[in-house]
Amino acid sequence: MLLIPYEQLSTDTLESLIEAFVLREGTEYGEQDISLSDKVAQVKHQLQADQLVILYSELHESVDIITKQQWRQLVKQGEIENE
């Protein structure tokens, strides 16, 4: 798996990736509905704050967004190499 810095993605690619992630996650936000654009903005902010990372799996030819903690666990387990 490869760590992909979000800054290296074009704005359109990053937006599409985040939208796909948000729609796939189906996260519940409680009683209030949160718009897709707000959810995308929240994920983008978390990427910028270094709370989330983008991983590309060559094996599965897929991209995923995971927490920095999940990434550290994968590194610790030897599933991926540290940057």
Side-chain angles (χ1 to χ4, degrees):
M1 287 193 234
L2 300 171
L3 188 64
I4 308 295
Y6 75 91
E7 303 95 337
Q8 291 184 358
L9 300 175
S10 71
T11 302
D12 289 341
T13 300
L14 181 60
E15 251 343 271
S16 295
L17 175 66
I18 294 172
E19 281 182 15
F21 170 74
V22 167
L23 292 171
R24 181 178 69 229
E25 288 300 303
T27 305
E28 283 293 322
Y29 289 87
E31 292 183 22
Q32 293 181 328
D33 285 334
I34 298 178
S35 70
L36 177 61
S37 61
D38 286 344
K39 292 176 189 177
V40 168
Q42 290 173 358
V43 171
K44 191 180 293 185
H45 175 73
Q46 289 174 318
L47 284 166
Q48 293 167 342
D50 203 30
Q51 296 171 338
L52 299 175
V53 295
I54 301 172
L55 285 181
Y56 172 70
S57 170
E58 295 169 318
L59 177 64
H60 298 105
E61 296 182 353
S62 64
V63 178
D64 201 4
I65 298 174
I66 64 171
T67 66
K68 192 73 174 240
Q69 182 179 10
Q70 290 170 314
W71 174 75
R72 286 188 188 114
Q73 188 64 33
L74 290 171
V75 170
K76 185 177 179 180
Q77 293 171 349
E79 293 186 36
I80 58 175
E81 292 183 23
N82 192 355
E83 300 177 83

